[in-house]
Amino acid sequence: MRLKISLLKEPKHKELVSCVGWTTADELYSCSDDHQIIKWNLLNGETTQVVKLPDDIYPIDLHWFPKNLGGKRHTQAESFVLTSSDGKFHFISKTGRVEKSVEAHCGAVLAGRWNYEGTALVTVGEDGQIKIWSKSGMLRSTLAQQGTPIYSVAWGPDSEKILYTSGKQLIIKPLQPNAKILQWKAHDGIILKVDWNSVNDLVLSAGEDCKYKWSYALEKPNTGSIFNIAWSTDGTQLAGACGNGHVIFAHVVEQRWVWKNFGITLTKRRTMEVRNVLNDAVDLLEFRDRVIKASLNYGHLVVSTSLQCYIFSIKNWNTPLIFDLKEGTVSLILQAERHFLLVDGGGIYLYSYEGRLISSPKFPGMRTDILNAQAISLSNDTLAVRDKSDEKVIYLFDPLSGKPLGDGKPLSHKTEIIEIALDQKGHTNERKIAFIDKNRDLYITSVKRFGKEQKVIKIGTMVHTLAWNDNCNILCGLQDTRFTVWYYPNVVYVDKDLLPKTLCEKDASEFSKNPQIVSFVGSQVTIRRADGSLIHINISPYPSILHEYANNSKWEDAMRLCRFVKDQTLWACLAAMAVSNKDMNTAEVAYASVGEIDKVQYISSIKDLPSKESRLAHILLFSGNIQEAETLLLQAGLIFQAIQVNINLYNWERALELAVKHKTHVDTVLAYRQKFLDDFGKKETNQRFLQYAEGLEVDWDKIKAKIELEIAKERERAAATPAVRTSVTIQR
């Protein structure tokens, strides 16, 4: 990726250009010490003088009023604030009319910025003051004051904090009085410029020490010093204010997208080159308008231009499906196997690969202007969006209807959530979401929520980035200094003790600081380092094959694969998969192979149980689902077995409650309770047990006879049950 620059032969301004600002993706305003404001139209190359300012106004900074926030257009959106060297700021309309001038600072006003809602303006000046103003220009407060000039300022993404410069220091100050201030040394020289990205929450700063990290491209045009730069709203173009009166323009080219054997490169603003590395076939894709965003996945290329969306199939590059866009500035494209979504300033839109609009989910306070790939995830049957106003909340939608999933309640977590990701394969009822919270802990939970609170289980710590595989439910992440692959994350719902045995870990120190996982396709993981370079890691292909066998219930093939590979990790995954699918024969072999002898014995005892209901209940117990196991036994009329489960787990009060409610085996519960206390040399103190034990003499022979009778009855019932019967459905 690099910038392609363009420059007119002769400058349009007679003096240095101090500031530039985009109105749309194809229109720019520039201000100069020659007092002119010039409008640049990039579509036809025309320039127009908008207004000549009074001779005493020397502009320093400009910022356009935000527009189309949440799909609503502001009435003030056609104006901008201009700060100047005489201590004033000016509200100027798009036509060049000066609507209002306000005395703001002693000395030059060095920067002015609207917040994201357009409800407040912040200015900083040579006098070292930070002032907050209403949108009509009324002073609200002086937020801070210092003895040195403040050269630059930026709003936080939530418009609740201000970031500003102070010599070599950067300071973040909340608007709330008495709130904690964050301050750190950022440069070895005076800091002149700062910005705060509302989408990825990163801070960018520039200072007189001339330090920078990572250069994607370097150009040295003959323009003198560049006093200001501004990116267009779609993030594809850059404009710079130059010291010799020029305005320099640059646009991004040579962006690259890769999926399996296809590589696609943006060669020009309206041209893409597709290369198939298997046969070296090359196709050129021409577009009517400038390419803004693209995504290549699941056999389709989705491209948004400034006016249209193109959908290509990798089987046919010649005839794309094309439809017009409501908004030109698509900020994000996400793909799933059956459909994809577009995010723009107005909302979230889901489309089929035939170009049909499927739905447009919404929730209260939704802000799509700051939505990024870490805060939204899409699968075939679920859309998950993290709420920006409350980052502990994830909204879950059905993509086909746009309505909330399940009971309509969002998923809530105890701390703020940083990144979310939905798994891509399997049944809808088994869909899982993984997320990283503020403490860098990795959790997994089910997205299907019907009143009952689902388990949220932690499966990793110090995780910085994650991704699900595209064709099976394998999860990978960068965990502190390790690259970790969770071959079967669902193991935590089956047998949590097996989790460490289903992991693959590799050293990740080569990735440097703050790497991000770009994709996880097949057995290849692509990671982008902080300097922009891509690194590819290959993992074993065998777990993916094992997933396929398990999904198709090919247990014999699965065991043959594990015997061939001779890997304990694979056997551990197979053990959990078999229990999850209730194939206890395979589970017994797999557990034996990983040395879990106690579990082998328990599985053997499950196989000897007389009835199907008892076997299913004990499989649920094996996975720690005690309440579901008890419910299953009670629904099947196996009261004694439900009581016995609670006795074995020392849930004495529940065992007695069931015995009293169903008027059976009260003496059995009391007898086992008394034996338990005798073994530990304790006396009964529970009033409920003392009440029912009063006048009761324990007769173990009688109790054993009753138990044998219950077992015999269950065997008779199982023998009388037809071979084909309605299966028992277990809701997890």
Side-chain angles (χ1 to χ4, degrees), residues 45 51 99 144 226 235 240 294 341 349 372 429 520 549 580 689 704:
V51 69
E99 304 282 353
I226 296 178
L341 67 79
Y349 306 97
N372 60 22
N429 291 333
F520 185 8
Y549 285 151
S580 179
F689 278 91
K704 287 177 182 177

Side-chain angles (χ1 to χ4, degrees), residues 310-331:
Y310 294 73
I311 306 168
F312 296 88
S313 169
I314 61 170
K315 297 175 182 177
N316 184 1
W317 297 106
N318 298 320
T319 53
L321 286 156
I322 306 171
F323 61 88
D324 293 333
L325 294 169
K326 295 180 181 177
E327 292 258 342
T329 53
V330 171
S331 58

Side-chain angles (χ1 to χ4, degrees), residues 61 88 219 322 345 407 495 590:
D61 190 25
K88 296 179 182 179
E219 299 281 351
I322 306 171
D407 56 11
D495 182 357

Side-chain angles (χ1 to χ4, degrees), residues 63 134 503 520 540 600 731:
H63 192 221
S134 72
L503 303 182
F520 185 8
S540 170
V600 173
Q731 287 285 347

Side-chain angles (χ1 to χ4, degrees), residues 111-125:
R113 283 289 176 269
W114 292 106
N115 69 354
Y116 291 99
E117 291 77 24
T119 55
L121 172 73
V122 62
T123 60
V124 295

Side-chain angles (χ1 to χ4, degrees), residues 544-587:
S544 177
I545 299 170
L546 187 67
H547 272 271
E548 186 180 348
Y549 285 151
N551 291 338
N552 295 307
S553 299
K554 295 181 178 179
W555 301 111
E556 288 295 327
D557 291 339
M559 284 193 286
R560 273 197 293 272
L561 177 68
C562 291
R563 290 188 181 111
F564 170 74
V565 179
K566 297 176 183 175
D567 181 6
Q568 291 284 292
T569 305
L570 219 56
W571 277 115
C573 292
L574 179 59
M577 291 173 180
V579 173
S580 179
N581 287 276
K582 302 175 182 59
D583 190 300
M584 303 317 284
N585 290 322
T586 304

